[in-house]
Amino acid sequence: MKAMARIAILFNVLLVVSCTDSPQQADATFEPYQRTATYTSNASPVVLVDESHHNFLTINNRFKPFAQVLLSDGVTVDSNKVSFSQQALKNVDILVIANALDKKRSNWQPPFNQALTNDEVSVVIEWVRNGGSLFLIADHAPFPKVIESLATALGFTFTNGHVKATLFSKATGTLISHEVTYAHENTKQDDNSSANANANSNSEANPEAKTPNHVELPVFMQESQNGAFTSVLNSQLHVKEVIQVKTFGGAAFLPPEGATSLLTLGPRTVSIEPEVPFEITSSTRRRAIEGWSQGALLKLGKGRVAVFSEGMMFSSQIDTRTGDKHGMRSVGAEQNERFLFNIIHWLAG
């Protein structure tokens, strides 16, 4: 029992360090990998990042690296400061809602109300059905709770808890083969790497070449003797095929019928669900969530939806007290940036 209590306390401390308001800031040294932009100024998708719902992640602070990555690909990025309406979304291709809150908070004490009004939920759903694309991110508790009305309208059921950091890979089957884990044939990004340029380019000349459903891990990503993945920050990791993605906690959800789970949680994964976020003890409710998702895609009417239950995976942040960095430049997350690109390409159609 004492051991369980110590584990719970440690888990609690780690979550608070990475998620509380004051020490968690954008990594000012972050720079996207060099590449040839996919889009040009006269043919660029417009991405609107919501900042009108007390969002914890904004493009001028904790989500700045997210915006930097998109801008490096020629994407037009702007912030939203008003309530959602058909007029506000009129000229938008992709709407990003990342960690919205019900109010400006100095603590995580309940109750937690809905971040969006019923009218706003209806506007967003109709906008997607008519051809818009939504990128929804709801991290650990309480973020899933305050966005519940929109998530439910889309058919997603979230836990309102905390999930440990997770490594998803094709080798373990937790990261699936999908178009967002492969660059489109007409993309121009070079990612500073030609490591796999010849491996899949001419299957007739190379009968050993693997098809997308039979992915062979490079040596540096194969399992070591103790079963762990070796993940070296190597330019070869920035190839166009995504074989590994890392999340940094967050929550989990069940996607609706017709959705595709990209990141599926494996055996022994648990959601820890305290009544008050971060107040975790040995007696706090724990729920087995094997088979639940942390990232999924859905086509809805003429539009598209990407839902993720963790936000740091698409940013780069620093704990100002320790100097520790978390996110796209962390060990194990070297391909998160490529993964983000491919999600945006899919949402842009």
Side-chain angles (χ1 to χ4, degrees):
M1 180 63 70
K2 289 183 179 179
M4 286 289 292
R6 285 196 297 269
I7 292 172
I9 292 170
L10 176 60
F11 187 76
N12 190 15
V13 169
L14 291 173
L15 283 170
V16 172
V17 166
S18 65
C19 301
T20 49
D21 189 44
S22 54
Q24 183 183 342
Q25 301 297 326
D27 174 12
T29 67
F30 176 84
E31 292 185 4
Y33 296 121
Q34 294 182 6
R35 56 175 53 81
T36 302
T38 301
Y39 305 104
T40 60
S41 58
N42 60 351
S44 171
V46 175
V47 174
L48 188 68
V49 181
D50 181 42
E51 296 184 4
S52 67
H53 297 90
H54 309 287
N55 304 72
F56 191 76
L57 300 176
T58 62
I59 60 176
N60 290 320
N61 196 335
R62 299 178 187 89
F63 229 32
K64 185 176 181 179
F66 172 91
Q68 289 176 268
V69 169
L70 271 58
L71 290 167
S72 75
D73 200 31
V75 175
T76 300
V77 181
D78 201 357
S79 58
N80 173 65
K81 306 290 188 181
V82 299
S83 298
F84 297 140
S85 66
Q86 292 298 338
Q87 182 62 33
L89 301 178
K90 184 177 180 181
N91 297 313
V92 176
D93 296 301
I94 301 171
L95 172 63
V96 180
I97 305 175
N99 284 1
L101 281 169
D102 54 341
K103 61 182 180 180
K104 185 175 181 179
R105 284 184 169 273
S106 59
N107 60 60
W108 298 118
Q109 292 296 317
F112 300 104
N113 299 311
Q114 293 303 295
L116 274 62
T117 66
N118 291 337
D119 286 345
E120 286 182 299
V121 171
S122 297
V123 163
V124 172
I125 297 297
E126 181 180 357
W127 175 77
V128 172
R129 289 188 179 277
N130 288 332
S133 289
L134 173 65
F135 195 164
L136 176 63
I137 298 171
D139 215 307
H140 55 74
F143 298 110
K145 186 65 177 178
V146 300
I147 205 71
E148 189 173 41
S149 58
L150 178 59
T152 300
L154 293 166
F156 292 82
T157 302
F158 273 80
T159 64
N160 189 46
H162 306 277
V163 177
K164 69 177 182 179
T166 304
L167 196 67
F168 297 87
S169 75
K170 287 182 176 177
T172 61
T174 51
L175 172 67
I176 72 163
S177 292
H178 185 276
E179 63 183 285
V180 301
T181 59
Y182 292 90
H184 298 293
E185 292 181 1
N186 62 350
T187 53
K188 300 178 181 179
Q189 291 95 333
D190 53 43
D191 283 325
N192 270 346
S193 173
S194 58
N196 282 9
N198 297 321
N200 300 313
S201 61
N202 191 341
S203 58
E204 292 182 1
N206 180 15
E208 299 297 321
K210 302 296 181 180
T211 65
N213 291 325
H214 296 81
V215 179
E216 183 175 351
L217 283 174
V219 172
F220 58 85
M221 288 292 294
Q222 291 178 8
E223 286 187 316
S224 61
Q225 291 182 350
N226 62 5
F229 280 99
T230 58
S231 181
V232 182
L233 184 56
N234 184 302
S235 61
Q236 288 178 301
L237 273 170
H238 314 312
V239 297
K240 293 178 181 179
E241 181 194 349
V242 178
I243 58 178
Q244 176 178 289
V245 171
K246 184 176 182 179
T247 61
F248 297 85
F253 60 82
L254 289 173
E257 184 177 352
T260 299
S261 176
L262 300 175
L263 308 178
T264 302
L265 292 162
R268 298 180 297 281
T269 309
V270 173
S271 173
I272 301 180
E273 302 172 359
E275 293 293 328
V276 179
F278 308 116
E279 295 190 7
I280 299 170
T281 69
S282 58
S283 61
T284 298
R285 180 191 179 194
R286 287 157 171 78
R287 187 195 326 191
I289 51 171
E290 177 182 353
W292 287 55
S293 180
Q294 282 203 299
L297 305 177
L298 174 68
K299 291 184 178 180
L300 183 64
K302 298 178 181 179
R304 298 185 174 196
V305 179
V307 175
F308 285 81
S309 58
E310 205 278 306
M312 194 180 292
M313 65 180 295
F314 298 126
S315 186
S316 182
Q317 298 173 12
I318 188 168
D319 182 343
T320 56
R321 296 179 300 186
T322 65
D324 293 338
K325 293 183 181 180
H326 307 276
M328 289 187 286
R329 292 297 176 266
S330 297
V331 173
E334 294 87 355
Q335 286 195 299
N336 282 30
E337 183 174 323
R338 160 59 61 185
F339 189 53
L340 173 57
F341 271 116
N342 292 355
I343 294 167
I344 295 296
H345 293 167
W346 183 84
L347 289 169

